[in-house]
PDB file of all heavy atoms in Angstrom:
ATOM      1  N   PHE W 305      -6.165 -13.804  25.007  1.00 90.00           N
ATOM      2  CA  PHE W 305      -7.473 -14.466  24.958  1.00 90.00           C
ATOM      3  C   PHE W 305      -8.137 -14.220  23.606  1.00 90.00           C
ATOM      4  O   PHE W 305      -8.733 -15.136  23.021  1.00 90.00           O
ATOM      5  CB  PHE W 305      -8.356 -13.938  26.089  1.00 90.00           C
ATOM      6  CG  PHE W 305      -9.707 -14.604  26.154  1.00 90.00           C
ATOM      7  CD1 PHE W 305      -9.856 -15.847  26.728  1.00 90.00           C
ATOM      8  CD2 PHE W 305     -10.825 -13.974  25.630  1.00 90.00           C
ATOM      9  CE1 PHE W 305     -11.102 -16.478  26.775  1.00 90.00           C
ATOM     10  CE2 PHE W 305     -12.074 -14.585  25.677  1.00 90.00           C
ATOM     11  CZ  PHE W 305     -12.208 -15.835  26.253  1.00 90.00           C
ATOM     12  N   HIS W 306      -8.044 -12.996  23.105  1.00 84.00           N
ATOM     13  CA  HIS W 306      -8.617 -12.680  21.790  1.00 84.00           C
ATOM     14  C   HIS W 306      -7.952 -13.528  20.706  1.00 84.00           C
ATOM     15  O   HIS W 306      -8.644 -14.060  19.818  1.00 84.00           O
ATOM     16  CB  HIS W 306      -8.423 -11.200  21.496  1.00 84.00           C
ATOM     17  CG  HIS W 306      -8.949 -10.778  20.160  1.00 84.00           C
ATOM     18  ND1 HIS W 306     -10.290 -10.624  19.888  1.00 84.00           N
ATOM     19  CD2 HIS W 306      -8.302 -10.494  18.991  1.00 84.00           C
ATOM     20  CE1 HIS W 306     -10.454 -10.261  18.626  1.00 84.00           C
ATOM     21  NE2 HIS W 306      -9.258 -10.174  18.062  1.00 84.00           N
ATOM     22  N   ALA W 307      -6.639 -13.676  20.781  1.00 83.00           N
ATOM     23  CA  ALA W 307      -5.937 -14.486  19.787  1.00 83.00           C
ATOM     24  C   ALA W 307      -6.393 -15.939  19.858  1.00 83.00           C
ATOM     25  O   ALA W 307      -6.566 -16.604  18.825  1.00 83.00           O
ATOM     26  CB  ALA W 307      -4.430 -14.396  20.019  1.00 83.00           C
ATOM     27  N   GLY W 308      -6.589 -16.445  21.082  1.00 86.00           N
ATOM     28  CA  GLY W 308      -7.084 -17.808  21.230  1.00 86.00           C
ATOM     29  C   GLY W 308      -8.479 -17.969  20.654  1.00 86.00           C
ATOM     30  O   GLY W 308      -8.779 -18.977  19.991  1.00 86.00           O
ATOM     31  N   CYS W 309      -9.347 -16.989  20.891  1.00 85.00           N
ATOM     32  CA  CYS W 309     -10.703 -17.029  20.317  1.00 85.00           C
ATOM     33  C   CYS W 309     -10.653 -17.041  18.799  1.00 85.00           C
ATOM     34  O   CYS W 309     -11.410 -17.779  18.145  1.00 85.00           O
ATOM     35  CB  CYS W 309     -11.516 -15.831  20.808  1.00 85.00           C
ATOM     36  SG  CYS W 309     -12.202 -16.006  22.459  1.00 85.00           S
ATOM     37  N   MET W 310      -9.783 -16.227  18.219  1.00 80.00           N
ATOM     38  CA  MET W 310      -9.694 -16.174  16.770  1.00 80.00           C
ATOM     39  C   MET W 310      -9.198 -17.497  16.188  1.00 80.00           C
ATOM     40  O   MET W 310      -9.673 -17.941  15.128  1.00 80.00           O
ATOM     41  CB  MET W 310      -8.760 -15.033  16.335  1.00 80.00           C
ATOM     42  CG  MET W 310      -9.303 -13.634  16.618  1.00 80.00           C
ATOM     43  SD  MET W 310     -10.916 -13.299  15.847  1.00 80.00           S
ATOM     44  CE  MET W 310     -12.017 -13.545  17.259  1.00 80.00           C
ATOM     45  N   ARG W 311      -8.278 -18.158  16.895  1.00 82.00           N
ATOM     46  CA  ARG W 311      -7.829 -19.470  16.426  1.00 82.00           C
ATOM     47  C   ARG W 311      -8.974 -20.488  16.498  1.00 82.00           C
ATOM     48  O   ARG W 311      -9.182 -21.291  15.589  1.00 82.00           O
ATOM     49  CB  ARG W 311      -6.638 -19.944  17.248  1.00 82.00           C
ATOM     50  CG  ARG W 311      -6.199 -21.374  16.959  1.00 82.00           C
ATOM     51  CD  ARG W 311      -5.813 -21.609  15.496  1.00 82.00           C
ATOM     52  NE  ARG W 311      -4.644 -20.862  15.128  1.00 82.00           N
ATOM     53  CZ  ARG W 311      -3.383 -21.317  15.256  1.00 82.00           C
ATOM     54  NH1 ARG W 311      -3.165 -22.533  15.715  1.00 82.00           N
ATOM     55  NH2 ARG W 311      -2.360 -20.571  14.904  1.00 82.00           N
ATOM     56  N   ARG W 312      -9.730 -20.470  17.586  1.00 82.00           N
ATOM     57  CA  ARG W 312     -10.859 -21.387  17.702  1.00 82.00           C
ATOM     58  C   ARG W 312     -11.903 -21.108  16.618  1.00 82.00           C
ATOM     59  O   ARG W 312     -12.499 -22.032  16.060  1.00 82.00           O
ATOM     60  CB  ARG W 312     -11.507 -21.270  19.084  1.00 82.00           C
ATOM     61  CG  ARG W 312     -10.741 -21.950  20.190  1.00 82.00           C
ATOM     62  CD  ARG W 312     -10.609 -23.443  19.950  1.00 82.00           C
ATOM     63  NE  ARG W 312     -11.908 -24.126  19.975  1.00 82.00           N
ATOM     64  CZ  ARG W 312     -12.193 -25.196  19.238  1.00 82.00           C
ATOM     65  NH1 ARG W 312     -11.290 -25.696  18.404  1.00 82.00           N
ATOM     66  NH2 ARG W 312     -13.374 -25.777  19.329  1.00 82.00           N
ATOM     67  N   MET W 313     -12.112 -19.838  16.299  1.00 79.00           N
ATOM     68  CA  MET W 313     -13.051 -19.501  15.236  1.00 79.00           C
ATOM     69  C   MET W 313     -12.572 -20.078  13.906  1.00 79.00           C
ATOM     70  O   MET W 313     -13.358 -20.614  13.118  1.00 79.00           O
ATOM     71  CB  MET W 313     -13.194 -17.984  15.137  1.00 79.00           C
ATOM     72  CG  MET W 313     -13.889 -17.341  16.313  1.00 79.00           C
ATOM     73  SD  MET W 313     -15.657 -17.701  16.365  1.00 79.00           S
ATOM     74  CE  MET W 313     -16.240 -16.626  15.060  1.00 79.00           C
ATOM     75  N   ALA W 314     -11.278 -19.980  13.643  1.00 77.00           N
ATOM     76  CA  ALA W 314     -10.734 -20.517  12.405  1.00 77.00           C
ATOM     77  C   ALA W 314     -10.865 -22.034  12.365  1.00 77.00           C
ATOM     78  O   ALA W 314     -11.092 -22.625  11.294  1.00 77.00           O
ATOM     79  CB  ALA W 314      -9.271 -20.109  12.258  1.00 77.00           C
ATOM     80  N   GLU W 315     -10.733 -22.684  13.522  1.00 80.00           N
ATOM     81  CA  GLU W 315     -10.870 -24.140  13.572  1.00 80.00           C
ATOM     82  C   GLU W 315     -12.327 -24.569  13.387  1.00 80.00           C
ATOM     83  O   GLU W 315     -12.613 -25.564  12.712  1.00 80.00           O
ATOM     84  CB  GLU W 315     -10.346 -24.661  14.912  1.00 80.00           C
ATOM     85  CG  GLU W 315      -8.842 -24.503  15.087  1.00 80.00           C
ATOM     86  CD  GLU W 315      -8.383 -24.795  16.497  1.00 80.00           C
ATOM     87  OE1 GLU W 315      -9.242 -24.981  17.392  1.00 80.00           O
ATOM     88  OE2 GLU W 315      -7.155 -24.823  16.729  1.00 80.00           O
ATOM     89  N   LEU W 316     -13.248 -23.829  13.985  1.00 79.00           N
ATOM     90  CA  LEU W 316     -14.659 -24.196  13.924  1.00 79.00           C
ATOM     91  C   LEU W 316     -15.311 -23.820  12.598  1.00 79.00           C
ATOM     92  O   LEU W 316     -16.296 -24.437  12.193  1.00 79.00           O
ATOM     93  CB  LEU W 316     -15.415 -23.529  15.078  1.00 79.00           C
ATOM     94  CG  LEU W 316     -15.095 -24.049  16.481  1.00 79.00           C
ATOM     95  CD1 LEU W 316     -15.676 -23.131  17.546  1.00 79.00           C
ATOM     96  CD2 LEU W 316     -15.633 -25.464  16.664  1.00 79.00           C
ATOM     97  N   PHE W 317     -14.750 -22.797  11.933  1.00 75.00           N
ATOM     98  CA  PHE W 317     -15.338 -22.314  10.674  1.00 75.00           C
ATOM     99  C   PHE W 317     -14.248 -22.241   9.603  1.00 75.00           C
ATOM    100  O   PHE W 317     -13.803 -21.152   9.229  1.00 75.00           O
ATOM    101  CB  PHE W 317     -15.986 -20.947  10.879  1.00 75.00           C
ATOM    102  CG  PHE W 317     -17.021 -20.935  11.974  1.00 75.00           C
ATOM    103  CD1 PHE W 317     -16.703 -20.432  13.229  1.00 75.00           C
ATOM    104  CD2 PHE W 317     -18.294 -21.438  11.758  1.00 75.00           C
ATOM    105  CE1 PHE W 317     -17.635 -20.429  14.252  1.00 75.00           C
ATOM    106  CE2 PHE W 317     -19.236 -21.434  12.778  1.00 75.00           C
ATOM    107  CZ  PHE W 317     -18.909 -20.939  14.023  1.00 75.00           C
ATOM    108  N   PRO W 318     -13.799 -23.393   9.111  1.00 72.00           N
ATOM    109  CA  PRO W 318     -12.694 -23.386   8.148  1.00 72.00           C
ATOM    110  C   PRO W 318     -13.062 -22.761   6.806  1.00 72.00           C
ATOM    111  O   PRO W 318     -12.182 -22.285   6.091  1.00 72.00           O
ATOM    112  CB  PRO W 318     -12.354 -24.876   7.993  1.00 72.00           C
ATOM    113  CG  PRO W 318     -13.597 -25.596   8.409  1.00 72.00           C
ATOM    114  CD  PRO W 318     -14.232 -24.748   9.459  1.00 72.00           C
ATOM    115  N   ALA W 319     -14.344 -22.760   6.466  1.00 65.00           N
ATOM    116  CA  ALA W 319     -14.768 -22.160   5.191  1.00 65.00           C
ATOM    117  C   ALA W 319     -14.818 -20.643   5.341  1.00 65.00           C
ATOM    118  O   ALA W 319     -15.520 -20.113   6.206  1.00 65.00           O
ATOM    119  CB  ALA W 319     -16.141 -22.700   4.785  1.00 65.00           C
ATOM    120  N   ARG W 320     -14.084 -19.945   4.489  1.00 60.00           N
ATOM    121  CA  ARG W 320     -13.996 -18.488   4.599  1.00 60.00           C
ATOM    122  C   ARG W 320     -15.361 -17.817   4.435  1.00 60.00           C
ATOM    123  O   ARG W 320     -15.639 -16.787   5.044  1.00 60.00           O
ATOM    124  CB  ARG W 320     -13.023 -17.962   3.543  1.00 60.00           C
ATOM    125  CG  ARG W 320     -12.730 -16.486   3.665  1.00 60.00           C
ATOM    126  CD  ARG W 320     -11.646 -16.065   2.696  1.00 60.00           C
ATOM    127  NE  ARG W 320     -11.348 -14.652   2.807  1.00 60.00           N
ATOM    128  CZ  ARG W 320     -10.435 -14.030   2.060  1.00 60.00           C
ATOM    129  NH1 ARG W 320      -9.730 -14.707   1.167  1.00 60.00           N
ATOM    130  NH2 ARG W 320     -10.211 -12.739   2.205  1.00 60.00           N
ATOM    131  N   ARG W 321     -16.244 -18.435   3.649  1.00 61.00           N
ATOM    132  CA  ARG W 321     -17.546 -17.824   3.397  1.00 61.00           C
ATOM    133  C   ARG W 321     -18.411 -17.776   4.653  1.00 61.00           C
ATOM    134  O   ARG W 321     -19.378 -17.006   4.722  1.00 61.00           O
ATOM    135  CB  ARG W 321     -18.275 -18.587   2.294  1.00 61.00           C
ATOM    136  CG  ARG W 321     -18.620 -20.024   2.654  1.00 61.00           C
ATOM    137  CD  ARG W 321     -19.322 -20.746   1.521  1.00 61.00           C
ATOM    138  NE  ARG W 321     -19.650 -22.126   1.877  1.00 61.00           N
ATOM    139  CZ  ARG W 321     -18.838 -23.148   1.728  1.00 61.00           C
ATOM    140  NH1 ARG W 321     -17.624 -22.937   1.222  1.00 61.00           N
ATOM    141  NH2 ARG W 321     -19.208 -24.365   2.084  1.00 61.00           N
ATOM    142  N   ASP W 322     -18.096 -18.620   5.646  1.00 61.00           N
ATOM    143  CA  ASP W 322     -18.875 -18.649   6.887  1.00 61.00           C
ATOM    144  C   ASP W 322     -18.341 -17.685   7.938  1.00 61.00           C
ATOM    145  O   ASP W 322     -18.995 -17.457   8.957  1.00 61.00           O
ATOM    146  CB  ASP W 322     -18.876 -20.058   7.481  1.00 61.00           C
ATOM    147  CG  ASP W 322     -19.587 -21.064   6.602  1.00 61.00           C
ATOM    148  OD1 ASP W 322     -20.505 -20.642   5.866  1.00 61.00           O
ATOM    149  OD2 ASP W 322     -19.231 -22.251   6.650  1.00 61.00           O
ATOM    150  N   MET W 323     -17.139 -17.146   7.720  1.00 61.00           N
ATOM    151  CA  MET W 323     -16.473 -16.418   8.784  1.00 61.00           C
ATOM    152  C   MET W 323     -17.178 -15.116   9.146  1.00 61.00           C
ATOM    153  O   MET W 323     -17.226 -14.732  10.318  1.00 61.00           O
ATOM    154  CB  MET W 323     -15.018 -16.126   8.383  1.00 61.00           C
ATOM    155  CG  MET W 323     -14.181 -15.500   9.509  1.00 61.00           C
ATOM    156  SD  MET W 323     -14.215 -16.408  11.077  1.00 61.00           S
ATOM    157  CE  MET W 323     -13.265 -17.855  10.626  1.00 61.00           C
ATOM    158  N   ALA W 324     -17.749 -14.408   8.168  1.00 61.00           N
ATOM    159  CA  ALA W 324     -18.394 -13.130   8.467  1.00 61.00           C
ATOM    160  C   ALA W 324     -19.574 -13.331   9.430  1.00 61.00           C
ATOM    161  O   ALA W 324     -19.706 -12.618  10.434  1.00 61.00           O
ATOM    162  CB  ALA W 324     -18.863 -12.455   7.183  1.00 61.00           C
ATOM    163  N   SER W 325     -20.419 -14.315   9.149  1.00 67.00           N
ATOM    164  CA  SER W 325     -21.548 -14.583  10.036  1.00 67.00           C
ATOM    165  C   SER W 325     -21.072 -15.063  11.398  1.00 67.00           C
ATOM    166  O   SER W 325     -21.629 -14.689  12.433  1.00 67.00           O
ATOM    167  CB  SER W 325     -22.479 -15.632   9.411  1.00 67.00           C
ATOM    168  OG  SER W 325     -23.104 -15.119   8.262  1.00 67.00           O
ATOM    169  N   ALA W 326     -20.035 -15.901  11.394  1.00 71.00           N
ATOM    170  CA  ALA W 326     -19.515 -16.408  12.655  1.00 71.00           C
ATOM    171  C   ALA W 326     -18.932 -15.283  13.506  1.00 71.00           C
ATOM    172  O   ALA W 326     -19.156 -15.222  14.726  1.00 71.00           O
ATOM    173  CB  ALA W 326     -18.451 -17.477  12.385  1.00 71.00           C
ATOM    174  N   GLN W 327     -18.198 -14.379  12.876  1.00 70.00           N
ATOM    175  CA  GLN W 327     -17.638 -13.246  13.612  1.00 70.00           C
ATOM    176  C   GLN W 327     -18.752 -12.357  14.154  1.00 70.00           C
ATOM    177  O   GLN W 327     -18.645 -11.807  15.250  1.00 70.00           O
ATOM    178  CB  GLN W 327     -16.717 -12.430  12.697  1.00 70.00           C
ATOM    179  CG  GLN W 327     -15.399 -13.113  12.382  1.00 70.00           C
ATOM    180  CD  GLN W 327     -14.404 -13.049  13.532  1.00 70.00           C
ATOM    181  OE1 GLN W 327     -14.723 -12.620  14.617  1.00 70.00           O
ATOM    182  NE2 GLN W 327     -13.190 -13.504  13.276  1.00 70.00           N
ATOM    183  N   GLY W 328     -19.820 -12.212  13.383  1.00 71.00           N
ATOM    184  CA  GLY W 328     -20.951 -11.431  13.862  1.00 71.00           C
ATOM    185  C   GLY W 328     -21.559 -12.031  15.115  1.00 71.00           C
ATOM    186  O   GLY W 328     -21.934 -11.313  16.047  1.00 71.00           O
ATOM    187  N   MET W 329     -21.676 -13.372  15.155  1.00 77.00           N
ATOM    188  CA  MET W 329     -22.192 -14.028  16.347  1.00 77.00           C
ATOM    189  C   MET W 329     -21.280 -13.794  17.541  1.00 77.00           C
ATOM    190  O   MET W 329     -21.732 -13.485  18.643  1.00 77.00           O
ATOM    191  CB  MET W 329     -22.358 -15.532  16.101  1.00 77.00           C
ATOM    192  CG  MET W 329     -23.536 -15.912  15.245  1.00 77.00           C
ATOM    193  SD  MET W 329     -23.954 -17.676  15.386  1.00 77.00           S
ATOM    194  CE  MET W 329     -22.422 -18.443  14.847  1.00 77.00           C
ATOM    195  N   LEU W 330     -19.968 -13.953  17.324  1.00 79.00           N
ATOM    196  CA  LEU W 330     -19.022 -13.759  18.421  1.00 79.00           C
ATOM    197  C   LEU W 330     -19.065 -12.322  18.924  1.00 79.00           C
ATOM    198  O   LEU W 330     -19.081 -12.074  20.135  1.00 79.00           O
ATOM    199  CB  LEU W 330     -17.607 -14.115  17.952  1.00 79.00           C
ATOM    200  CG  LEU W 330     -16.505 -13.977  19.005  1.00 79.00           C
ATOM    201  CD1 LEU W 330     -16.706 -14.976  20.137  1.00 79.00           C
ATOM    202  CD2 LEU W 330     -15.127 -14.165  18.367  1.00 79.00           C
ATOM    203  N   TYR W 331     -19.098 -11.376  18.001  1.00 76.00           N
ATOM    204  CA  TYR W 331     -19.130  -9.955  18.358  1.00 76.00           C
ATOM    205  C   TYR W 331     -20.401  -9.631  19.139  1.00 76.00           C
ATOM    206  O   TYR W 331     -20.373  -8.919  20.141  1.00 76.00           O
ATOM    207  CB  TYR W 331     -19.070  -9.125  17.076  1.00 76.00           C
ATOM    208  CG  TYR W 331     -18.864  -7.641  17.274  1.00 76.00           C
ATOM    209  CD1 TYR W 331     -17.611  -7.128  17.598  1.00 76.00           C
ATOM    210  CD2 TYR W 331     -19.913  -6.741  17.102  1.00 76.00           C
ATOM    211  CE1 TYR W 331     -17.419  -5.771  17.751  1.00 76.00           C
ATOM    212  CE2 TYR W 331     -19.728  -5.388  17.253  1.00 76.00           C
ATOM    213  CZ  TYR W 331     -18.473  -4.905  17.576  1.00 76.00           C
ATOM    214  OH  TYR W 331     -18.291  -3.555  17.730  1.00 76.00           O
ATOM    215  N   GLY W 332     -21.533 -10.191  18.685  1.00 78.00           N
ATOM    216  CA  GLY W 332     -22.794  -9.915  19.361  1.00 78.00           C
ATOM    217  C   GLY W 332     -22.851 -10.512  20.754  1.00 78.00           C
ATOM    218  O   GLY W 332     -23.336  -9.879  21.695  1.00 78.00           O
ATOM    219  N   PHE W 333     -22.345 -11.731  20.914  1.00 81.00           N
ATOM    220  CA  PHE W 333     -22.401 -12.380  22.218  1.00 81.00           C
ATOM    221  C   PHE W 333     -21.421 -11.765  23.204  1.00 81.00           C
ATOM    222  O   PHE W 333     -21.773 -11.511  24.369  1.00 81.00           O
ATOM    223  CB  PHE W 333     -22.110 -13.885  22.072  1.00 81.00           C
ATOM    224  CG  PHE W 333     -23.346 -14.714  21.912  1.00 81.00           C
ATOM    225  CD1 PHE W 333     -23.936 -14.854  20.670  1.00 81.00           C
ATOM    226  CD2 PHE W 333     -23.922 -15.340  22.991  1.00 81.00           C
ATOM    227  CE1 PHE W 333     -25.083 -15.610  20.500  1.00 81.00           C
ATOM    228  CE2 PHE W 333     -25.069 -16.108  22.841  1.00 81.00           C
ATOM    229  CZ  PHE W 333     -25.656 -16.243  21.595  1.00 81.00           C
ATOM    230  N   SER W 334     -20.188 -11.537  22.765  1.00 82.00           N
ATOM    231  CA  SER W 334     -19.173 -11.056  23.707  1.00 82.00           C
ATOM    232  C   SER W 334     -19.285  -9.550  23.906  1.00 82.00           C
ATOM    233  O   SER W 334     -19.678  -9.077  24.984  1.00 82.00           O
ATOM    234  CB  SER W 334     -17.778 -11.433  23.216  1.00 82.00           C
ATOM    235  OG  SER W 334     -17.506 -10.854  21.944  1.00 82.00           O
ATOM    236  N   GLY W 335     -18.975  -8.781  22.869  1.00 78.00           N
ATOM    237  CA  GLY W 335     -18.999  -7.331  22.994  1.00 78.00           C
ATOM    238  C   GLY W 335     -20.386  -6.756  23.167  1.00 78.00           C
ATOM    239  O   GLY W 335     -20.548  -5.675  23.726  1.00 78.00           O
ATOM    240  N   GLY W 336     -21.418  -7.489  22.701  1.00 83.00           N
ATOM    241  CA  GLY W 336     -22.778  -6.978  22.810  1.00 83.00           C
ATOM    242  C   GLY W 336     -23.475  -7.425  24.081  1.00 83.00           C
ATOM    243  O   GLY W 336     -23.562  -6.690  25.062  1.00 83.00           O
ATOM    244  N   ILE W 337     -23.955  -8.674  24.098  1.00 88.00           N
ATOM    245  CA  ILE W 337     -24.697  -9.178  25.252  1.00 88.00           C
ATOM    246  C   ILE W 337     -23.829  -9.178  26.506  1.00 88.00           C
ATOM    247  O   ILE W 337     -24.244  -8.723  27.579  1.00 88.00           O
ATOM    248  CB  ILE W 337     -25.235 -10.590  24.961  1.00 88.00           C
ATOM    249  CG1 ILE W 337     -26.226 -10.548  23.793  1.00 88.00           C
ATOM    250  CG2 ILE W 337     -25.897 -11.178  26.203  1.00 88.00           C
ATOM    251  CD1 ILE W 337     -26.664 -11.918  23.319  1.00 88.00           C
ATOM    252  N   GLY W 338     -22.603  -9.685  26.382  1.00 90.00           N
ATOM    253  CA  GLY W 338     -21.707  -9.696  27.536  1.00 90.00           C
ATOM    254  C   GLY W 338     -21.410  -8.303  28.054  1.00 90.00           C
ATOM    255  O   GLY W 338     -21.319  -8.085  29.265  1.00 90.00           O
ATOM    256  N   GLY W 339     -21.257  -7.344  27.138  1.00 88.00           N
ATOM    257  CA  GLY W 339     -20.982  -5.972  27.551  1.00 88.00           C
ATOM    258  C   GLY W 339     -22.144  -5.336  28.285  1.00 88.00           C
ATOM    259  O   GLY W 339     -21.967  -4.695  29.331  1.00 88.00           O
ATOM    260  N   VAL W 340     -23.354  -5.518  27.763  1.00 91.00           N
ATOM    261  CA  VAL W 340     -24.542  -4.939  28.404  1.00 91.00           C
ATOM    262  C   VAL W 340     -24.760  -5.551  29.778  1.00 91.00           C
ATOM    263  O   VAL W 340     -24.957  -4.843  30.780  1.00 91.00           O
ATOM    264  CB  VAL W 340     -25.786  -5.146  27.518  1.00 91.00           C
ATOM    265  CG1 VAL W 340     -27.052  -4.738  28.276  1.00 91.00           C
ATOM    266  CG2 VAL W 340     -25.661  -4.335  26.232  1.00 91.00           C
TER     267      VAL W 340
END
Side-chain angles (χ1 to χ4, degrees):
F305 182 79
H306 179 75
C309 280
M310 292 303 100
R311 173 59 66 89
R312 283 299 295 148
M313 291 289 285
E315 292 170 352
L316 291 168
F317 304 101
R320 187 174 180 180
R321 64 181 180 273
D322 295 332
M323 187 52 70
S325 293
Q327 288 283 8
M329 285 197 301
L330 181 65
Y331 190 76
F333 267 83
S334 60
I337 297 172
V340 171

